Amino acid sequence: MDKQTIQLHHSWLAHLKNEFQKDYMVTLKYKLQELKKNKIIFYPRGEQIFNAFNLTPFDKVKVVILGQDPYHGPNQAHGLCFSVPNSVKPPPSLVNIFKELQSDIGKIINPGNGNLEHWAEQGVFLLNTTLTVEQSKPLSHQNYGWGEFTDKVISVIDNHLENIVFILWGAFAQSKKNLIDSKKHLILTAPHPSPLSAHRGFFGSKPFSQTNTFLQSKQIDKIIW
């Protein structure tokens, strides 16, 4: 993969350009090209794979929310974890995120709009640890090499920035804690917002108010959730 192919924001490319020359990323690019050649549908669309990076430049990151892999239904994934484009019905996990948002800070969200681009544009980096998925096959690209890339992304944030809020929902996201220096950053953990686990401690975890309290304590502008 090269700069022209990936269209990655220059602020990220400055830290990640060498990754695109490594064998695992060359192999990953080949795999995606083969899927296209064989007319196998995967999400998100090519120009949206790095959407989180392009909407949240490296030097603007304040918060990192980690997801696992993109939504695998038509028109759902657009490169931001938990988010869906305008006019697409919010999936159950996102509905629960909005419920906690209302309970935590009293913000009522339009239940028909699950687009979180306004978070991304304020510095909330909405990163899936796997950036593509085959239609109707969750986790199908988990072993393609994306994990090595996004582990590098998390490490770059950890090493070069400070006072970042990492929001880790569920066991998979929390498995990345070893990449984060808790002395430099705030790590918030809770069960996943999925209907299967939200009642085990996601509801009532207050991630949105905790994030803003921390940011303001560091003289950083809060997020308008």
Side-chain angles (χ1 to χ4, degrees):
M1 293 187 185
D2 55 29
K3 184 176 180 180
Q4 286 71 34
T5 303
I6 59 174
Q7 299 176 339
L8 194 68
H9 192 278
H10 63 84
S11 64
W12 288 103
L13 206 55
H15 296 280
L16 299 171
K17 59 185 177 183
N18 291 339
E19 293 300 301
F20 291 95
Q21 312 306 321
K22 292 183 178 179
D23 288 346
Y24 81 91
M25 283 298 277
V26 173
T27 300
L28 172 52
K29 179 183 178 182
Y30 174 77
K31 287 179 178 178
L32 296 181
Q33 288 174 336
E34 285 297 297
L35 292 179
K36 286 183 178 179
K37 189 185 299 183
N38 293 304
K39 302 193 183 322
I40 295 172
I41 298 171
F42 64 91
Y43 303 122
R45 297 196 310 269
E47 70 273 15
Q48 294 182 327
I49 291 174
F50 295 100
N51 214 8
F53 299 81
N54 293 323
L55 285 175
T56 311
F58 179 76
D59 55 347
K60 302 297 184 185
V61 174
K62 301 178 183 178
V63 181
V64 178
I65 299 180
L66 280 186
Q68 193 159 1
D69 72 337
Y71 296 125
H72 53 85
N75 304 314
Q76 290 183 308
H78 66 144
L80 305 175
C81 73
F82 294 107
S83 179
V84 290
N86 294 330
S87 78
V88 175
K89 181 181 178 182
S93 292
L94 184 53
V95 171
N96 285 338
I97 290 170
F98 288 162
K99 287 179 180 177
E100 177 60 19
L101 183 59
Q102 182 173 351
S103 171
D104 185 4
I105 64 173
K107 177 145 188 181
I108 299 175
I109 301 292
N110 176 357
N113 184 4
N115 191 331
L116 303 180
E117 289 181 358
H118 64 292
W119 291 7
E121 290 165 352
Q122 295 179 75
V124 181
F125 186 47
L126 297 166
L127 178 67
N128 277 314
T129 52
T130 297
L131 297 186
T132 57
V133 67
E134 188 174 333
Q135 183 178 26
S136 303
K137 294 184 178 179
L139 306 178
S140 51
H141 291 185
Q142 190 172 29
N143 296 320
Y144 272 30
W146 282 126
E148 187 170 346
F149 176 72
T150 53
D151 280 359
K152 175 67 174 181
V153 171
I154 295 167
S155 295
V156 164
I157 294 170
D158 175 67
N159 290 331
H160 294 276
L161 299 175
E162 58 184 24
N163 299 325
I164 302 300
V165 181
F166 286 86
I167 299 178
L168 310 179
W169 290 328
F172 182 82
Q174 289 162 28
S175 72
K176 304 298 182 179
K177 282 178 68 174
N178 64 320
L179 300 174
I180 305 163
D181 184 351
S182 60
K183 296 183 178 68
K184 289 176 60 181
H185 310 289
L186 176 66
I187 303 173
L188 299 178
T189 62
H192 195 277
S194 158
L196 296 174
S197 54
H199 291 280
R200 298 178 192 156
F202 172 76
F203 290 133
S205 60
K206 300 186 180 300
F208 308 103
S209 60
Q210 288 192 74
T211 293
N212 279 346
T213 296
F214 176 81
L215 292 176
Q216 290 180 297
S217 76
K218 303 297 182 181
Q219 288 73 54
I220 301 169
D221 289 342
K222 68 180 183 179
I223 306 297
I224 309 300
W225 301 103

